[in-house]
Amino acid sequence: MKTDDLIALLAAGEGPVQRHALARRLALAVLGGALGAVLMTVALYGVRADLALVAHTPLFWAKLALPGSVALLALWLTQRLARPGVKGGALWGLLGLPLLLVWLGAATSLLGAPEGARAELILGRTWRTCALNIALLSVPTLIAIGWALRGLAPIHLRQAGAAGGLLAGATATLAYCLHCPEMEAPFWGLWYVLGMLVPALAGTLLGPRLLRW
Amino acid sequence: MQRTITQEALGAREAQLQALLLQGLTGDAAAYRMFLAALAVHVRSFLSRRLAQRPCEVEDLLQEVLLAVHNARHTYQAQQPLTAWVQAIARYKLADHYRSYARHDALHEGLEDDSDLFAASEQEAAQATRDLAKLLAQLPERQRLPIVHVKLEGLSVEETARMTGLSSSAVKVGIHRGLKALAKLMGGKGDDEDR
């Protein structure tokens, strides 16, 4: 095949490219994944009975701030890493900020508590299932983001997979907050973070295999 | 190869190519064709420098890069330097190429950072070894027919839809998926090699 023939073939019969194709694709994936995670939360775990009540407390929103800010950063990272010639760079470092804040809150809470009560602050009542539940809820978003990335052009496949996995984990955690009764920062700082890391790790491992193009 | 090109000239070249691409993305096929043709000249010399030991592979790899550029064109954003975007794609395909031939010694040589993509140009096209007809024959019919009718015979999407009994959107999807599948076939990727 002559290269000129290939060029003629590529240029022939192509209409305009959809504007904001990348943003549309990612938005669709995140919305679809989030919807899946919310439906799974409601169906599998149930919404906490006092949700309307706690939604008026600042503590509930502080709890959402961790997965919320991680989700935004991971979404930004994902849209960057989905394009050739753009790196994740300093954005990865920014992820340390919400982590640092929740750990500061956790440390404050632990130091202020009597020694005997500290274990309960960390373990709460649901530590056995929390991270696993979040990992399970991240599956729809992980699949949706994988679909979106396969239609884009990631170059750094591990990083793109990690960012997509983290986005899935953070979205799942947000949905899980509809159910999760735990209201202590030390609990979030350990189990929520672990829950988000599971899909991030899965994305890191799967990226190089599934995102090649 | 000329190495004395000024930054200004490089900037002008980048701007010219970018203008053609952006026109192409809005549906101007003639501008898009000019963009690909001009890009091919630069990518060819970019690849020849890195495949100096195996010049016969340059044209094959160039075609892979052009197809990859086409398949990724919706990820280009106007505020990004075109050089960075194209070079990332070219390097990705080059690294893939090295990997599939397991020439890890060459990998390190090929990945150094240089921004001289548009500094040199090589006009002379060698014949690539692969045969388009053979590649197309490996595609399923719903991808092959749209590509053959629209891309090779120059029929419109609607005409192709009537001829094949597919819907217009199925014709477009077939072209899109078919070109992505073609890129995989060209790279010789049936494997799940880790990266």
Side-chain angles (χ1 to χ4, degrees):
Chain A
M1 168 175 37
K2 287 191 184 132
T3 300
D4 281 343
D5 295 342
L6 177 73
I7 289 172
L9 177 142
L10 292 179
E14 289 290 348
V17 168
Q18 190 184 37
R19 285 174 64 84
H20 310 299
L22 179 136
R24 274 171 211 242
R25 206 172 167 92
L26 280 178
L28 195 64
V30 172
L31 288 177
L35 186 68
V38 167
L39 289 177
M40 279 171 73
T41 304
V42 173
L44 296 175
Y45 311 121
V47 175
R48 57 186 286 180
D50 58 349
L51 184 67
L53 218 62
V54 289
H56 292 290
T57 64
L59 191 63
F60 180 74
W61 296 99
K63 164 168 148 156
L64 290 184
L66 171 69
S69 54
V70 171
L72 285 180
L73 285 171
L75 179 59
W76 194 249
L77 267 169
T78 307
Q79 71 86 16
R80 286 180 64 90
L81 289 165
R83 296 184 277 136
V86 189
K87 293 196 169 104
L91 267 176
W92 283 113
L94 268 186
L95 280 169
L97 204 63
L99 206 59
L100 195 70
L101 285 175
V102 75
W103 284 348
L104 269 177
T108 315
S109 151
L110 286 173
L111 289 173
E115 208 165 314
R118 284 178 190 166
E120 206 195 314
L121 286 180
I122 296 177
L123 299 179
R125 282 168 294 151
T126 59
W127 66 274
R128 280 189 187 84
T129 50
C130 176
L132 281 177
N133 290 348
I134 289 174
L136 181 65
L137 292 176
S138 72
V139 171
T141 316
L142 199 59
I143 294 171
I145 292 288
W147 161 81
L149 282 175
R150 278 177 67 90
L152 298 167
I155 295 284
H156 306 288
L157 304 185
R158 266 184 217 295
Q159 281 192 50
L166 198 60
L167 176 55
T171 310
T173 308
L174 280 170
Y176 190 61
C177 283
L178 294 173
H179 162 79
C180 179
E182 308 289 350
M183 296 304 277
E184 302 292 345
F187 183 93
W188 314 332
L190 181 57
W191 304 108
Y192 280 16
V193 171
L194 266 182
M196 289 191 274
L197 282 179
V198 172
L201 187 68
T204 313
L205 296 176
L206 291 174
R209 292 180 169 275
L210 300 182
L211 299 180
R212 300 185 75 193
W213 53 286
Chain B
M1 205 185 308
Q2 217 177 330
R3 284 282 189 179
T4 51
I5 297 169
T6 61
Q7 283 311 106
E8 257 170 69
L10 284 180
R13 212 171 266 177
E14 152 113 22
Q16 189 194 5
L17 277 178
Q18 191 198 34
L20 286 173
L21 170 60
L22 292 176
Q23 271 172 272
L25 292 181
T26 61
D28 182 340
Y32 187 56
R33 187 173 176 161
M34 279 165 71
F35 161 75
L36 286 175
L39 189 69
V41 172
H42 295 297
V43 175
R44 183 178 294 120
S45 81
F46 177 88
L47 294 175
S48 330
R49 271 174 280 150
R50 282 154 186 82
L51 289 171
Q53 312 298 316
R54 298 165 200 273
C56 55
E57 288 165 14
V58 169
E59 208 63 20
D60 279 337
L61 190 55
L62 169 63
Q63 295 183 0
E64 276 180 54
V65 172
L66 290 175
L67 186 52
V69 162
H70 177 78
N71 284 339
R73 68 198 190 288
H74 58 301
T75 66
Y76 180 69
Q77 296 184 352
Q79 70 270 25
Q80 191 189 359
L82 181 61
T83 318
W85 185 77
V86 173
Q87 227 166 45
I89 295 174
R91 288 227 188 81
Y92 179 79
K93 287 293 163 186
L94 190 65
D96 234 22
H97 184 76
Y98 286 142
R99 203 176 293 111
S100 55
Y101 289 85
R103 283 197 296 274
H104 291 282
D105 49 330
L107 184 66
H108 305 292
E109 178 262 324
L111 289 178
E112 90 275 16
D113 195 88
D114 53 353
S115 49
D116 55 353
L117 176 64
F118 297 154
S121 51
E122 208 161 300
Q123 297 281 356
E124 199 176 325
Q127 180 86 11
T129 52
R130 62 170 80 87
D131 185 341
L132 180 64
K134 275 186 193 152
L135 288 173
L136 280 175
Q138 296 179 55
L139 298 182
E141 207 163 69
R142 64 183 185 283
Q143 294 173 358
R144 190 180 67 243
L145 292 180
I147 291 179
V148 168
H149 292 319
V150 176
K151 294 285 205 173
L152 290 175
E153 294 167 1
L155 298 184
S156 73
V157 169
E158 289 70 28
E159 287 168 321
T160 305
R162 270 198 301 279
M163 266 177 72
T164 55
L166 296 165
S167 69
S168 290
S169 67
V171 170
K172 287 184 198 161
V173 168
I175 293 173
H176 178 75
R177 297 215 174 127
L179 291 179
K180 289 193 85 169
L182 219 51
K184 289 229 157 160
L185 290 174
M186 277 191 180
K189 275 175 236 139
D191 58 322
D192 257 348
E193 199 181 347
D194 209 350
R195 150 187 308 269

